[in-house]
Structures are given as structure tokens and as C-alpha cells.
């Protein structure tokens, strides 16, 4: 079973800085980024909100003007305490947050009469009505977890204030999945994901969820380690009253902003019609593959032009990879056998539920990567775009499924489930992180109609069966992969490929080790995902806060987190498990070292190897269990590799609680002043020595001043917050103005602490915020050779005109050999000149600087991808050099690459070549290079030299190629030049 799928680093930093000198002609956009009529404005701030708990049909607002409160999005219907505000419910969630949230905002919308205007919603729980200026635009009732949009063009008053009103109806509806039965999670309500105002030209790229061919769809039909074929399907609608000519320019851009592939097509789109462009090209040089170890992202910029004018665009990520599942061998990504180890994720956070800002979606993905995970299963619904984007950037594979959990509804329910699945796939199919789609109902197993629609929407990814050994078939059924769950260590049959999508966990991580070991017992078991990453709320029993999860409800690591690090990370890890695990006369240490020495108060307790247990025999780094009754004092664990200390960890029984210490978890991301961003703040309870008191349950009160606020300032459990194993947590949200936030933490009997955080200015312009430079480089590749040369495919020939044959004799009239002489010789009084096509007016001239003529060389039998390039070229006699003069090159920074392959096999080439550059910046020797030699290179590339040069647009640039070793001639096979024209 093989799946090839589409899933950014390339130029040097110096090159980027140089190219940035070419400024954009459009304000607020980076260099080269297209300015079109498309606008996408985040409208998350300044909403009015009213909660209607007793709403009756028909939908209408029943509050008064004074009932509204000011809120920002994402927003839930209400904040809640850890006991869900005391609401008693069952697993059908009949009452909790089963209400209607009314949201209203006034917008002044500028534009032209012929523009299209849309409102785009990333997700709303769960039935949505929209009014503009009092007129009902429509409703959406497919799912609370998938995106949708409304065309509001005809309802808008341009240049005037417009009132947008949304009802977010989270009541139970039997036809909207996953409702209709029991749930293992809470369906929190509200306008809980981002909302955008979008403006486009009437001829524009459609929203991807509109239909199967809508938007931009990226695939990579063929990928190897060095080459990738890329197919782009782009759907463009013409909502004008007349037919219009349309040109689509698709550019593939590397991580440094360089365009590596341009594809362009043209058609005329009928009035009210649409057209799907299909473009296929490839990357055959400097290909970067996407993987968890190296999550390299290209960008696909799709630009719509009419009469040469750019009118619309969208941009998508592109990660290039291939993968396959092989029976008896496992999962392979880019040809490498990889084990999949990760966790399940619910999106909810304390106090705010599903109303999670993008900063916290990033946090979850970031923490998973810190644990060493390479896969996450999204339970049990499509997750936010921001989380998928974070997985793309960080290198986490994703198993995503439509919104279900055990329950099966009526035909209307199934129709909406299918539509939700299609929207999920269309929305996320271009993301490299997506590995497989769930084509099942959780616990119930595979569903044929879901499998078929997944294949219809995306035939390149496998489907997963999401079964359980106790309620469904113990096989994949119609699906590609068997993805069961296991909590009773039940048998998992090995007659097909399986991924354990859920398994149990324990505070000491022994259960986690057991499940991973069971998976490794068979090559047909490709990996596991623990249930769950975080504590979460549910009206099912026994679903609250447990130290067995990898992280707490507040995203504080529990002890299994450290075992995963020891098992999955390469760097040395040593961690003494705390009192949740190290108790009853035993101390547990997690480490990936060969041995661990444990000391108590400086005295050696023992030096041990990892535990040996039958149930963990396939684990690479099992726990270390020391028989020691730790009552008081300090433990120190030292990890040894090859007998040498490489890492250590100290844990001490704390004394009396004395003070608090505040830290902010920034997770390598700026704190944006957008009114939405949230950062987690930790208040640690410490003793006089600075030890964390893990048994502390102090109630910590937080206060906030400045450019932010405390989530749940007066909410039970939020403020004060009870320390969880010595750590209390606060959620601090930015305001819409950048500035300083001062946070104070206090608790009875403890010294308080303060912390300052600075937020950074943000923009509501989504395009400006996410745009990166595009360096639309102009490149010319020149293959140098005499008449009749073998021209490298897609290169330009530089033959230099007529050449002549020089007959060389032995002095007695006998012919020894014939050489083809290049038309460059002191006696000719002129050099060989090539006119650059990519840079009009510029040329390159070969200048003779020695007494002997240059000659053509022919080199048969090459086997590299540039075989025809290196088959022929210019060659000097021993000790000579080749001087190139580049004339009238436009002002700018350029990259040069020269190619050199010796015509004969020289056994020892010690020194090689040296290249001297004289350009507008300086005269210098840029690099030495040792040329390759011989006829058969066994797929090796010929030698090449990379360097940059600067042109002032007036003076000639000199490139002197010379051999630095006696007996080794200089050969120049070809030259590449690329840059950005002003």
C-alpha cells in the first residue's frame, strides 16, 4: 500500500538580506508579494454578546439593548469552573451550554459596487443564522466543527456602517453530528473560532469547501529523494455578467522566498461560469522533503490575472513527501521506516472550553513536539486551522476524523456527517501534516459511505477504521488501516496493518511502556497514540483530572511526559519521577542512558541498568526502579553513557512553603496584542531553598494590570487557582493595544511575586500578517560547448560560433592528434560572446589571457543528471586560465554557479581550481573547488562552485577561473546566473 502526497530553508541568510534591498511597491506587503483586490480582515474584536438561555423557535432576539456585553472572539457562551458551574448532566449533555449566543458587530465596509463581499467562519457551535442590516442572509447547520461562508454582497451598504448579527445556537439537534446520542466530551458553545470579512474581484478563486473541485488542490503524483512532480488544480469563478479572459500564474516558492517553479495558463471564463485550471510541473533541483525531523515547507502562490493586472490570489503550504504502509515492514516516510508515537487531543482549555485562540493551538502542538511525539490523533472532530498549521511547521503528523462518537443518527444526520467530512478534507487536504482520514464512527468501526467519500475527495491518503475490540469488527473492513483502541490489553490481530489509535496510561508510565512494547512486537503494528494528551471534561464518569495523562487540564506536564522524552528524544534525558510515582519504598527514574546512579544526600544508593520486564521487552528505554524509601532529603540521579556522566537531575523533599515564583510559557511565539492571544502563567510554590513543593495545594490569587486581562478574574477555580502538584496556573489574554502586562500572584502565608510581559502590535489584515517575500528570480542556465555539442535539457547553448580543428604532429610529419580550437585566441583580437536572454542587454565574453588557444573538450560516458552539460566544455592547457567578462548586467545581487568536470580521469586532484571575482563590491577570491574527474560518476553530481556577485549596472564584472595545481587543466562546462531585476 503506497500513498504519495503533497504534503520552507534554501538560500543563505546573506542572500535574503541582499534581496530585501528590492523593496515592494505596495505598502505593508513584503517584497514581491502580489497586491490584488482580495482582502481578508480578521473581525474578532469589538463584538456585542447576549446569552439567551430559554430560546424558543422561531429564532429571534429576545433581549434588550442593556443585555449586551462587549467580547472578543474566539468566545464561548460562558466561562465555567472546574465543576462545569455545578451543572448536573449526563453524557447526552442535555442542559450544559445548551443555549443560544447572540453576537453583533458594526462594520464600516469600503469597496466598489462590483466587488464580492463574504463573511467567513472557521467554526460555530452549532446551528448558525446570519443577519446583515436586519436582513436574514441564511443559516448553516452542517456541523459545529467545519468552516463555512456567506455571500453578503447584496446586503451591504458600501462606505457606511453595517450591522452584522449572528446567532450561535448550541442546543441539541438530532440532525447535526455528533449530537443525537451520548458524548465522551463537552460540546461547548459560541462563536469560538476566527471570523473574517473577505472581499474579492467577481472573478476569484473559490472557497475550498464549496465543492469537490473548489479552491486550490495540491497533489504530488510522483516523489523521489531528488525530484517531485506537482499537480495544482485551481477553481476560479467568474461572477460577472460578461465573459472575461483569465490567466492563472502558479508559483512554487521555497522557504527563503525563491520561486522554484512557475506555471501559467490562460482561458476565457463565461459569464456566471467557472473553470478549473490543471497545471503540472516539478522540482528537480535542491528538493527538500517534509518530515517530522525536517518539516520543510514550500508555498504555492496562486495568482489570477486579467489583461496583465493581478486581481486575486490565495496561498497554500506545500510539504513534499511520500509514504507507504508495507505489510511485514511497517510505515515508511520518504523511504525511511518510522514508528508513529503520539497522543489524542481534545481542543478544549480550562474556563474557556473550545474558544481557544491560535496561540494556545500552537502551544499544544509545541508541547507534543517537546515530548518527542510525531503524530496526533484529533478526537473526535475536525480541529482548528491554527492547530493544523502548527503541525505543518513543527513536524507532527495528523490523523483527523469527522465529528462522531458512538452515536448513529438518522439519514439527515448521516447526510450532515458526510458533508462535514467533505468540508474537513477540502479544508485541510493541502496540509503536509495530514496523514490519514477517519472513515468510521468512533467505537463502531468502519463506515463504507465515509470511506468512499474520503477516497472521492482525497484518493492519496489512507482511511482509518477507528474500531474497538469490544464493539466492532477486529479488522479494517473497507478502510485502508485497522485503527483500534485498547484499554484492556486485548488481542490485536496481525493479519493486517494497524495503528493503535487509543490506549491507556498510568502515572508511572508503565502502561504506556507496555502498549508501545506490544506495538513493536509486530511489524504490522505501525504505532500508538495514548488517550489522551490532556485531562478533559466530560459527563461520562471518571473523565476528570488524573496524573496519568501526559499533561494536566492546565497543560502542566505529568510524569509520563518525561518517560516519553526519554524514549523518543535523542538528547540525554534523566528525570526522577516525583511522589505521584516514587513512593511505597521505590524511586522511579526515566532515562535513555545506559546506566543511572542514584544518590541520596550525596550517598550512593545504587547504580543500575534499566528494569527488565516481559511486558516492556521491546521498549528502548524502560524505567529504572530503585528500592529506596524516600522520606526526606535530596535525590540526585546521574545518567551514564559508556561509563561517562552525560546528564543529571536533582529532586528534593521540600521544606516549609515560603514564596511564589511566576513564569510565563512563551513557547517560542510572540504575545500578540490582538485581543485574543492567551499565554499560560505558572505560579510555583517554593520553599526557602527554591524547591518546588509538589504536595502544595495553595490557593493562588492573580491580578493583572496593563495591556491584558486575567481569564476568569472572578470565576471559581480560576481565581484563586489551586496549585496542581505545586503549580497554580493563570490564563492571561492580551488587549488590542500593545503594551506591558504586570501580573501579580499571592497566597496566604507566602511571599508574593510579580512578572512583566510585553505584548507586540498585531494587525487585523490577515494577508499582511501572513505574507512572506516572493523573490521571482530570473535565471539563465548556459551549457558551453563547440558546434555539435550535446545540449543539456532546458539549458541554453553557447557554442561561440565557428571553431577549427588544429592538427598536431610529432615533428616528423606524423599526425598525433586533432584538437577543436575555440574561436578565442590572441591572434583573433576578439573573444567569444554570449548574449544573455534573461537579462536583456547583458552579455558574457570569454577573454583570452594566455599564449595558447582555448580548446573544446568532449567527455563521453557520463551518468549523472547533468551528463550532457559535462559532456563538453572549454578547456585550457596546463597552467592557463579562463577569464569571463560580464557586461551591462542590471544593478542588483546575483547568484552564480559554475560547473567543472575534467575530461580525463585524474587519480589525484589535490588543490583544484580557484575563482577570482572583481565586481562592484570588491576584488576577491571567492572559493577553491576540486573538480570531479573520470567518465563514470555513479550518479554523483559534477563539481560546481556557488558564489554571489554585485553589479552596479555600469561596470564590467570579471570572473577568472584558474587551476591551482600543475598538470590539471581548467575546464568550464557551464554557468548559471540568477537574480532579481529591479
Amino acid at each position: 500500500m503506497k500513498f504519495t502526497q503533497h504534503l520552507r530553508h534554501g538560500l543563505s541568510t546573506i542572500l535574503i538580506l541582499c534581496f530585501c534591498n528590492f523593496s515592494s511597491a505596495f505598502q505593508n506587503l513584503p517584497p514581491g508579494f502580489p497586491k490584488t483586490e482580495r482582502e481578508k480582515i480578521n473581525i474578532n474584536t469589538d463584538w456585542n454578546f447576549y446569552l439567551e438561555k430559554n430560546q424558543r423557535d422561531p429564532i429571534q432576539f429576545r433581549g434588550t439593548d442593556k443585555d449586551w456585553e462587549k467580547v472578543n472572539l474566539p468566545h464561548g457562551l460562558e466561562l465555567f469552573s472546574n465543576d462545569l458551574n455545578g451543572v448536573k448532566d449526563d453524557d447526552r449533555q442535555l442542559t450544559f451550554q445548551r443555549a443560544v449566543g447572540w453576537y453583533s458587530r458594526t462594520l464600516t465596509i469600503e469597496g466598489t459596487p462590483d466587488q464580492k463581499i463574504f463573511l467567513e467562519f472557521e467554526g460555530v457551535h452549532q446551528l448558525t443564522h446570519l443577519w446583515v442590516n436586519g436582513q436574514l442572509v441564511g443559516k448553516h447547520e452542517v456541523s459545529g466543527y467545519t468552516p463555512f461562508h456567506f455571500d453578503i454582497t447584496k446586503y451591504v451598504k458600501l462606505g457606511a456602517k453595517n450591522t452584522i448579527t449572528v446567532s450561535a445556537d448550541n442546543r441539541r439537534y438530532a440532525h447535526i453530528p455528533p449530537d443525537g446520542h451520548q458524548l465522551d466530551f463537552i460540546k461547548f458553545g459560541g462563536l469560538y473560532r476566527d471570523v473574517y470579512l473577505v472581499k474579492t474581484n467577481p472573478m476569484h478563486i473559490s472557497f475550498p469547501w464549496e465543492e469537490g473541485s473548489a479552491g486550490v488542490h495540491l497533489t504530488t503524483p510522483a516523489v523521489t529523494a531528488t525530484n517531485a512532480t506537482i499537480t495544482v488544480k485551481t477553481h476560479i469563478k467568474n461572477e460577472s455578467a460578461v465573459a472575461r479572459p483569465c490567466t492563472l500564474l502558479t508559483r512554487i516558492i521555497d522557504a527563503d522566498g525563491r520561486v522554484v517553479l512557475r506555471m501559467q495558463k490562460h482561458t476565457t471564463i463565461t459569464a456566471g461560469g467557472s473553470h478549473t485550471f490543471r497545471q503540472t510541473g516539478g522540482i528537480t533541483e535542491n528538493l527538500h522533503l517534509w518530515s517530522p525531523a525536517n518539516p520543510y515547507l514550500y508555498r504555492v502562490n496562486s495568482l489570477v490575472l486579467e489583461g496583465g493586472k493581478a486581481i486575486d490570489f490565495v496561498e497554500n503550504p506545500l510539504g513534499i513527501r511520500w509514504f507507504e504502509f508495507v505489510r511485514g515492514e511497517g510505515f515508511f516516510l520518504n523511504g525511511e521506516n518510522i514508528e508513529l508515537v503520539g497522543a489524542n487531543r481534545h481542543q478544549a482549555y480550562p474556563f474557556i472550553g473550545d474558544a481557544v485562540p491560535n496561540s494556545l493551538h500552537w502551544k499544544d502542538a509545541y508541547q507534543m513536539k517537546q515530548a518527542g511525539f510525531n503524530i496526533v490523533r484529533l478526537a473526535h472532530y475536525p480541529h482548528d486551522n491554527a492547530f493544523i498549521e502548527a503541525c505543518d511547521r513543527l513536524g507532527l503528523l495528523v490523523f483527523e476524523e469527522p465529528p462522531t462518537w458512538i452515536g448513529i443518527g438518522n439519514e439527515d444526520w448521516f447526510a450532515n456527517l458526510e458533508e462535514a467530512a467533505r468540508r474537513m478534507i477540502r479544508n485541510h487536504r493541502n496540509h503536509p501534516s495530514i496523514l490519514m482520514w477517519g472513515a468510521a464512527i468512533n467505537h463502531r468501526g468502519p463506515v463504507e459511505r465515509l470511506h468512499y467519500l474520503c477516497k472521492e475527495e482525497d484518493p492519496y491518503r489512507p482511511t482509518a477504521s477507528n474500531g474497538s475490540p469490544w464493539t466492532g469488527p477486529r479488522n479494517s473492513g473497507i478502510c485502508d488501516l485497522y485503527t483500534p483502541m485498547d484499554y484492556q490489553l486485548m488481542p490485536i490481530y496481525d493479519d493486517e496493518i494497524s495503528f493503535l489509535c487509543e490506549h491507556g496510561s498510568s502515572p508511572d508510565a508503565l502502561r504506556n511502556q507496555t502498549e508501545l512494547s506490544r506495538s513493536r512486537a509486530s511489524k504490522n503494528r505501525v504505532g500508538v497514540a495514548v488517550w489522551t494528551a490532556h485531562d478533559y471534561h466530560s459527563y461520562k464518569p471518571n473523565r476528570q483530572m488524573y496524573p496519568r495523562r501526559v499533561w494536566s487540564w492546565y497543560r502542566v506536564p505529568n510524569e509520563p511526559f518525561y518517560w516519553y522524552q526519554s524514549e523518543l528524544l535523542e538528547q540525554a534525558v534523566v528525570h526522577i519521577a516525583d511522589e505521584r510515582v516514587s513512593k511505597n519504598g521505590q524511586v522511579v527514574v526515566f532515562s535513555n542512558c545506559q546506566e543511572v546512579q542514584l544518590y541520596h544526600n550525596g550517598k550512593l544508593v545504587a547504580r543500575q541498568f534499566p528494569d527488565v520486564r516481559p511486558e516492556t521487552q521491546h521498549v528502548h528505554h524502560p524505567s529504572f526502579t530503585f528500592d529506596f524509601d524516600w522520606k526526606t532529603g535530596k535525590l540526585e540521579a546521574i545518567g551514564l553513557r559508556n561509563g561517562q556522566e552525560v546528564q543529571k537531575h536533582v529532586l528534593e523533599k521540600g521544606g516549609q512553603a515560603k514564596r511564589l515564583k511566576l513564569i510565563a510559557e512563551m513557547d517560542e511565539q510572540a504575545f500578540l496584542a490582538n485581543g485574543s492571544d492567551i499565554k499560560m502563567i505558572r505560579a510555583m510554590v517554593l520553599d526557602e531553598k527554591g524547591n518546588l513543593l509538589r504536595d502544595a495545594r495553595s490557593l493562588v490569587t492573580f491580578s493583572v494590570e496593563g495591556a491584558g486581562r486575567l481569564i476568569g478574574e472572578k470565576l471559581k477555580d480560576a481565581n484563586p487557582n489551586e496549585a496542581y502538584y505545586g503549580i497554580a496556573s493563570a490564563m492571561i489574554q492580551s488587549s488590542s493595544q500593545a503594551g506591558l502586562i504586570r501580573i501579580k500572584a499571592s497566597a496566604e502565608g507566602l511571599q508574593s511575586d510579580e512578572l512583566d510581559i510585553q505584548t507586540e502590535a498585531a494587525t487585523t489584515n490577515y494577508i499582511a500578517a501572513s505574507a512572506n517575500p516572493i523573490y521571482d528570480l530570473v535565471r539563465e542556465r548556459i551549457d558551453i560547448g563547440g558546434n555539435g555539442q550535446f545540449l543539456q535539457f532546458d539549458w541554453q547553448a553557447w557554442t561561440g560560433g565557428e571553431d577549427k580543428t588544429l592538427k598536431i604532429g610529432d615533428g616528423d610529419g606524423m599526425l598525433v592528434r586533432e584538437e577543436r580550437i575555440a574561436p578565442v585566441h590572441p591572434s583573433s583580437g576578439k573573444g567569444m560572446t554570449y548574449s544573455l536572454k534573461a537579462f536583456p542587454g547583458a552579455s558574457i565574453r570569454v577573454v583570452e589571457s594566455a599564449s595558447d588557444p582555448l580548446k573544446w573538450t568532449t567527455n563521453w560516458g557520463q551518468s549523472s543528471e547533468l551528463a550532457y552539460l559535462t559532456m563538453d566544455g572549454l578547456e585550457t592547457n596546463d597552467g592557463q586560465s579562463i577569464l569571463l567578462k560580464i557586461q551591462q548586467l542590471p544593478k542588483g545581487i546575483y547568484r552564480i554557479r559554475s560547473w567543472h568536470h575534467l575530461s580525463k580521469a585524474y587519480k589525484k586532484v589535490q588543490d583544484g581550481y580557484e575563482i577570482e571575482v572583481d565586481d562592484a563590491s570588491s576584488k576577491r577570491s571567492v572559493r577553491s573547488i576540486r573538480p570531479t574527474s573520470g567518465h563514470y560518476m555513479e550518479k554523483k553530481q559534477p563539481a560546481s562552485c556557488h558564489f554571489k556577485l554585485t553589479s552596479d549596472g555600469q561596470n564590467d564584472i570579471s570572473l577568472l577561473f584558474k587551476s591551482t595545481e600543475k598538470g590539471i587543466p581548467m575546464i568550464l562546462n557551464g554557468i548559471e546566473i540568477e537574480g532579481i531585476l529591479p
Side-chain angles (χ1 to χ4, degrees):
M1 183 187 304
K2 183 174 182 178
F3 297 86
T4 302
Q5 184 46 258
H6 48 87
L7 284 180
R8 243 158 62 179
H9 315 293
L11 274 178
S12 67
T13 302
I14 293 176
L15 184 59
I16 291 180
L17 293 175
C18 292
F19 282 169
C20 285
N21 291 329
F22 296 92
S23 60
S24 171
F26 303 104
Q27 191 175 8
N28 298 325
L29 288 175
F33 199 88
K35 172 66 175 179
T36 72
E37 293 180 41
R38 180 175 289 262
E39 295 180 44
K40 186 173 182 178
I41 306 300
N42 183 294
I43 56 172
N44 280 355
T45 59
D46 300 323
W47 288 81
N48 298 301
F49 170 72
Y50 168 71
L51 179 62
E52 174 64 77
K53 293 188 175 182
N54 301 305
Q55 181 70 53
R56 301 184 300 269
D57 288 329
I59 283 287
Q60 62 183 35
F61 179 69
R62 299 179 184 276
T64 65
D65 290 344
K66 66 180 181 180
D67 293 324
W68 297 97
E69 62 174 298
K70 284 286 186 182
V71 300
N72 291 339
L73 309 182
H75 183 263
L77 294 183
E78 55 185 334
L79 298 177
F80 57 89
S81 57
N82 286 336
D83 65 352
L84 300 176
N85 292 343
V87 175
K88 304 300 181 183
D89 226 327
D90 62 21
D91 56 14
R92 294 172 295 172
Q93 192 186 331
L94 297 174
T95 61
F96 180 67
Q97 293 212 0
R98 295 300 193 176
V100 180
W102 288 87
Y103 296 84
S104 181
R105 177 175 169 164
T106 299
L107 291 171
T108 298
I109 301 176
E110 304 291 346
T112 60
D114 63 342
Q115 279 188 310
K116 300 292 294 183
I117 303 174
F118 307 92
L119 281 179
E120 177 186 337
F121 297 83
E122 289 189 349
V124 182
H125 283 315
Q126 65 178 336
L127 191 156
T128 307
H129 286 81
L130 172 68
W131 293 261
V132 174
N133 297 322
Q135 298 184 69
L136 179 63
V137 177
K139 68 177 179 179
H140 175 79
E141 51 183 332
V142 171
S143 160
Y145 299 96
T146 47
F148 57 97
H149 70 281
F150 291 104
D151 183 345
I152 62 171
T153 307
K154 66 180 181 180
Y155 303 94
V156 167
K157 301 173 183 177
L158 295 177
K161 291 183 178 180
N162 295 266
T163 300
I164 311 296
T165 304
V166 179
S167 68
D169 186 349
N170 198 46
R171 294 175 295 173
R172 282 172 54 85
Y173 288 95
H175 68 293
I176 302 179
D179 263 344
H181 200 59
Q182 59 183 323
L183 294 173
D184 185 30
F185 52 94
I186 302 294
K187 274 192 87 284
F188 298 100
L191 203 55
Y192 77 103
R193 289 183 181 170
D194 296 337
V195 180
Y196 298 96
L197 176 71
V198 179
K199 294 188 282 187
T200 71
N201 187 285
M203 188 162 67
H204 60 272
I205 299 170
S206 55
F207 292 92
W209 47 82
E210 291 189 56
E211 57 178 272
S213 62
V216 176
H217 186 192
L218 312 175
T219 56
T220 51
V223 178
T224 69
T226 56
N227 300 280
T229 300
I230 303 163
T231 293
V232 185
K233 298 179 182 179
T234 309
H235 183 252
I236 299 177
K237 299 171 71 174
N238 176 18
E239 300 190 66
S240 304
V242 297
R244 298 173 64 178
C246 177
T247 298
L248 175 67
L249 171 62
T250 299
R251 292 176 290 181
I252 311 297
I253 305 157
D254 71 11
D256 292 320
R258 299 172 62 239
V259 175
V260 297
L261 175 64
R262 293 170 56 95
M263 298 182 290
Q264 185 167 305
K265 281 190 174 182
H266 175 84
T267 193
T268 297
I269 305 179
T270 60
S274 64
H275 179 77
T276 298
F277 287 90
R278 290 171 172 83
Q279 299 168 303
T280 298
I283 300 176
T284 59
E285 299 177 30
N286 303 316
L287 179 66
H288 299 271
L289 298 178
W290 186 98
S291 70
N294 181 34
Y296 188 98
L297 289 175
Y298 293 89
R299 298 147 53 200
V300 180
N301 186 278
S302 305
L303 184 62
V304 180
L305 302 103
E306 181 180 26
K309 178 184 177 183
I311 60 173
D312 192 40
F313 92 100
V314 295
E315 190 164 281
N316 283 274
L318 171 67
I320 299 173
R321 66 177 190 176
W322 84 90
F323 63 85
E324 53 188 327
F325 294 86
V326 182
R327 289 181 184 270
E329 297 185 43
F331 172 69
F332 291 79
L333 180 66
N334 303 331
E336 179 184 354
N337 191 196
I338 291 179
E339 178 184 41
L340 302 172
V341 182
N344 285 257
R345 181 206 187 225
H346 272 304
Q347 65 186 9
Y349 260 75
F351 318 132
I352 60 174
D354 287 349
V356 179
N358 296 341
S359 57
L360 293 185
H361 287 300
W362 167 271
K363 177 180 180 60
D364 277 3
Y366 179 84
Q367 283 191 313
M368 289 183 179
K369 195 69 177 180
Q370 295 295 100
F373 293 157
N374 61 11
I375 190 168
V376 53
R377 179 190 178 220
L378 305 183
H380 295 286
Y381 39 80
H383 285 218
D384 195 285
N385 292 344
F387 184 76
I388 308 300
E389 291 163 3
C391 292
D392 289 344
R393 291 170 55 193
L394 291 167
L396 279 169
L397 292 163
V398 175
F399 171 0
E400 189 170 28
E401 57 194 32
T404 68
W405 195 81
I406 293 184
I408 300 176
N410 57 25
E411 187 55 37
D412 289 339
W413 183 93
F414 251 115
N416 279 324
L417 178 61
E418 290 184 358
E419 179 63 20
R422 291 184 187 278
R423 286 175 178 249
M424 171 188 74
I425 295 171
R426 296 167 186 172
N427 189 37
H428 289 158
R429 63 191 173 189
N430 291 336
H431 290 275
S433 56
I434 302 292
L435 176 63
M436 52 183 150
W437 307 113
I441 293 177
N442 200 57
H443 287 267
R444 299 285 186 173
V447 178
E448 288 189 11
R449 57 201 289 184
L450 288 178
H451 166 80
Y452 293 139
L453 79 84
C454 286
K455 290 301 182 182
E456 186 173 85
E457 296 287 341
D458 182 5
Y460 298 97
R461 289 184 174 93
T463 56
S465 63
N466 291 30
S468 60
W470 52 89
T471 58
R474 295 191 180 185
N475 54 62
S476 62
I478 191 67
C479 296
D480 297 307
L481 299 176
Y482 179 38
T483 53
M485 55 191 73
D486 178 35
Y487 295 103
Q488 288 85 37
L489 297 176
M490 299 178 71
I492 301 172
Y493 302 112
D494 292 330
D495 57 341
E496 59 181 330
I497 298 173
S498 66
F499 173 77
L500 193 62
C501 72
E502 295 182 21
H503 70 74
S505 181
S506 61
D508 61 1
L510 184 57
R511 179 61 186 273
N512 311 65
Q513 296 174 48
T514 300
E515 294 286 9
L516 185 55
S517 181
R518 276 161 48 85
S519 175
R520 288 175 177 162
S522 169
K523 287 293 187 180
N524 280 338
R525 304 176 194 174
V526 298
V528 297
V530 63
W531 185 264
T532 56
H534 317 106
D535 287 322
Y536 65 102
H537 276 303
S538 171
Y539 279 110
K540 297 289 286 185
N542 302 321
R543 296 291 195 272
Q544 305 306 315
M545 297 176 68
Y546 289 104
R548 71 184 184 212
R549 311 292 188 205
V550 187
W551 292 271
S552 78
W553 177 230
Y554 300 109
R555 273 53 175 184
V556 176
N558 287 321
E559 295 306 89
F561 168 83
Y562 300 101
W563 175 73
Y564 280 113
Q565 284 194 320
S566 72
E567 180 71 10
L568 302 174
L569 299 181
E570 293 184 2
Q571 68 261 33
V573 174
V574 178
H575 178 82
I576 305 169
D578 65 24
E579 290 86 346
R580 288 169 279 185
V581 178
S582 295
K583 56 186 178 180
N584 302 325
Q586 291 185 324
V587 172
V588 176
V589 177
F590 303 134
S591 181
N592 51 15
C593 296
Q594 295 165 336
E595 299 175 83
V596 170
Q597 293 175 328
L598 182 68
Y599 292 84
H600 178 248
N601 293 335
K603 182 178 179 181
L604 180 66
V605 173
R607 175 173 174 169
Q608 292 183 192
F609 292 101
D611 299 347
V612 177
R613 293 186 175 96
E615 65 269 31
T616 62
Q617 61 180 309
H618 300 295
V619 171
H620 301 319
H621 303 290
S623 309
F624 293 72
T625 302
F626 294 85
D627 292 324
F628 182 73
D629 193 10
W630 183 36
K631 299 292 187 182
T632 61
K634 179 171 67 175
L635 291 177
E636 182 178 20
I638 298 176
L640 305 174
R641 289 180 175 175
N642 299 321
Q644 300 296 313
E645 176 183 338
V646 292
Q647 190 60 274
K648 67 179 179 180
H649 181 225
V650 176
L651 196 64
E652 187 169 355
K653 292 281 188 181
Q656 201 76 4
K658 291 293 184 182
R659 64 187 179 92
L660 297 174
K661 180 180 179 181
L662 283 171
I663 60 170
E665 295 183 344
M666 302 303 288
D667 308 310
E668 299 184 2
Q669 293 292 289
F671 195 1
L672 296 179
N674 55 17
S676 299
D677 263 20
I678 292 175
K679 293 296 182 182
M680 300 299 296
I681 306 298
R682 312 297 186 191
M684 299 185 294
V685 182
L686 307 180
D687 67 8
E688 66 280 359
K689 294 182 180 179
N691 296 310
L692 176 68
L693 298 178
R694 293 169 298 280
D695 60 350
R697 297 294 181 265
S698 303
L699 291 175
V700 180
T701 299
F702 295 90
S703 63
V704 175
E705 299 175 351
R709 72 183 186 102
L710 173 67
I711 297 292
E713 183 177 7
K714 298 180 180 180
L715 178 69
K716 174 189 171 184
D717 298 328
N719 199 36
N721 180 256
E722 182 181 9
Y724 174 82
Y725 291 93
I727 301 175
S729 298
M731 301 172 67
I732 306 301
Q733 187 173 56
S734 66
S735 68
S736 299
Q737 298 294 323
L740 187 70
I741 303 175
R742 173 155 295 173
I743 305 154
K744 297 180 181 179
S746 61
E748 185 176 355
L750 301 180
Q751 179 182 337
S752 61
D753 195 20
E754 294 185 0
L755 178 68
D756 290 345
I757 306 177
Q758 181 72 41
T759 62
E760 297 184 13
T763 177
T764 59
N765 187 323
Y766 177 87
I767 295 173
S770 57
N772 288 296
I774 300 177
Y775 303 118
D776 213 344
L777 303 182
V778 179
R779 181 173 68 170
E780 190 147 357
R781 301 189 297 182
I782 307 162
D783 185 353
I784 301 174
N787 287 333
Q789 69 167 305
F790 291 89
L791 183 64
Q792 184 68 36
F793 296 122
D794 299 322
W795 287 58
Q796 301 295 321
W798 182 5
T799 60
E802 294 294 329
D803 55 351
K804 63 180 180 179
T805 300
L806 179 66
K807 295 183 178 182
I808 301 175
D810 62 358
D812 295 324
M814 298 293 294
L815 179 66
V816 176
R817 68 184 187 277
E818 292 184 348
E819 290 184 350
R820 292 187 301 148
I821 304 302
V824 183
H825 193 275
S827 62
S828 69
K830 60 181 180 180
M832 188 173 69
T833 302
Y834 175 85
S835 296
L836 289 163
K837 299 173 180 61
F839 307 93
S843 63
I844 305 177
R845 183 166 60 93
V846 180
V847 179
E848 184 70 14
S849 58
S851 57
D852 294 330
L854 298 175
K855 57 189 176 184
W856 299 121
T857 182
T858 300
N859 195 15
W860 290 92
Q862 299 304 306
S863 60
S864 74
E865 293 179 358
L866 295 176
Y868 297 129
L869 172 67
T870 56
M871 189 172 288
D872 37 37
L874 275 176
E875 180 176 348
T876 68
N877 286 327
D878 182 16
Q880 287 188 280
S881 59
I882 299 175
L883 176 63
L884 299 185
K885 291 281 189 179
I886 305 178
Q887 301 170 314
Q888 300 299 310
L889 190 64
K891 183 178 180 180
I893 309 294
Y894 297 83
R895 275 170 44 117
I896 303 294
R897 188 174 190 178
S898 58
W899 297 89
H900 312 272
H901 185 76
L902 295 169
S903 59
K904 298 178 182 179
Y906 291 84
K907 294 182 178 180
K908 294 182 180 181
V909 182
Q910 300 293 336
D911 298 321
Y913 297 164
E914 184 175 301
I915 303 172
E916 294 182 359
V917 176
D918 188 358
D919 64 2
S921 65
S922 64
K923 184 175 182 178
R924 63 207 181 274
S925 176
V926 295
R927 186 180 162 186
S928 294
I929 184 173
R930 185 177 299 168
T932 51
S933 65
H935 291 295
Y936 297 95
M937 299 192 300
E938 298 177 352
K939 297 183 180 180
K940 294 179 182 179
Q941 289 283 8
S944 64
C945 184
H946 303 256
F947 53 96
K948 69 182 183 74
L949 56 81
T950 303
S951 174
D952 58 12
Q954 298 178 351
N955 295 300
D956 291 354
I957 297 170
S958 296
L959 304 178
L960 180 65
F961 300 87
K962 61 182 181 180
S963 175
T964 58
E965 185 172 347
K966 183 175 178 59
I968 302 298
M970 161 60 67
I971 292 182
L972 180 62
N973 303 103
I975 191 165
E976 297 178 69
I977 179 169
E978 66 178 24
I980 304 173
L981 290 178

